[in-house]
Amino acid sequence: MFHRYDYEAEFYPDLSRLPLDLRRKLDVTGVKLGLKDWLALSFEERSVLCHLPCDNAEECQVFANYLDFLSHKYRNEPISRIAPSDPALWSELSVPHAVRERSDAVTVDRWRGWPSHDRYALYKTATSKSQPDAFELVLKQLSGN
């Protein structure tokens, strides 16, 4: 499933940037993929990666295996691995400190009502140094405003 966020809409037609939902998949699988390597892939390959599910161990393994195949195809080397992000950072149990710091509007009840990919989006944008406005845009979208 490919979860889209409005603030990235201009990049979706040609997938010229790594979408936030794809970054979630990379984070949970522990795969490092730079923009240069992303753009080396065909549009169809980028689209497949965006649409591949990555919500359980088997799906994450398929996702990582496909990226490894593509890395061998384009770079003649295996994918670059990093430590996977801990999904507990955006779990439904409690609102992360970074999110609470950015907005009082994110209550525990609201947080728990959002699916994991949306909680990730809020968490990731709350901690982002490169896109400081993205948090408010994602929160606005999730709040239906």
Side-chain angles (χ1 to χ4, degrees):
M1 180 66 130
F2 184 15
H3 305 285
R4 293 173 173 87
Y5 297 95
D6 295 343
Y7 82 96
E8 300 178 310
E10 68 185 277
F11 306 123
Y12 292 144
D14 59 1
L15 295 172
S16 60
R17 303 282 178 169
L18 285 83
L20 184 56
D21 193 51
L22 178 82
R23 287 184 274 158
R24 174 184 63 87
K25 296 171 187 181
L26 294 169
D27 281 351
V28 299
T29 58
V31 174
K32 184 176 180 180
L33 182 69
L35 181 60
K36 179 181 167 188
D37 293 326
W38 173 249
L39 293 175
L41 306 177
S42 71
F43 173 79
E44 293 78 12
E45 291 162 337
R46 293 190 305 250
S47 184
V48 166
L49 287 166
C50 288
H51 285 87
L52 277 174
C54 206
D55 297 318
N56 61 47
E58 183 179 1
E59 292 171 351
C60 287
Q61 188 61 53
V62 169
F63 179 83
N65 287 347
Y66 184 55
L67 265 170
D68 193 52
F69 165 79
L70 293 173
S71 183
H72 278 92
K73 176 180 174 182
Y74 289 101
R75 297 174 48 219
N76 204 28
E77 59 186 55
I79 56 173
S80 299
R81 300 298 291 218
I82 56 173
S85 294
D86 184 358
L89 294 170
W90 58 88
S91 80
E92 64 186 17
L93 298 178
S94 64
V95 181
H97 177 72
V99 174
R100 285 193 321 261
E101 269 188 342
R102 296 290 307 264
S103 176
D104 294 335
V106 181
T107 64
V108 173
D109 288 340
R110 288 182 81 191
W111 181 256
R112 289 180 177 164
W114 286 315
S116 179
H117 62 269
D118 287 338
R119 291 192 311 269
Y120 170 87
L122 281 174
Y123 170 77
K124 194 68 170 181
T125 57
T127 60
S128 174
K129 305 268 189 263
S130 63
Q131 294 181 304
D133 299 335
F135 176 83
E136 293 298 328
L137 297 171
V138 170
L139 181 58
K140 182 179 177 181
Q141 180 178 342
L142 297 181
S143 299
N145 297 331

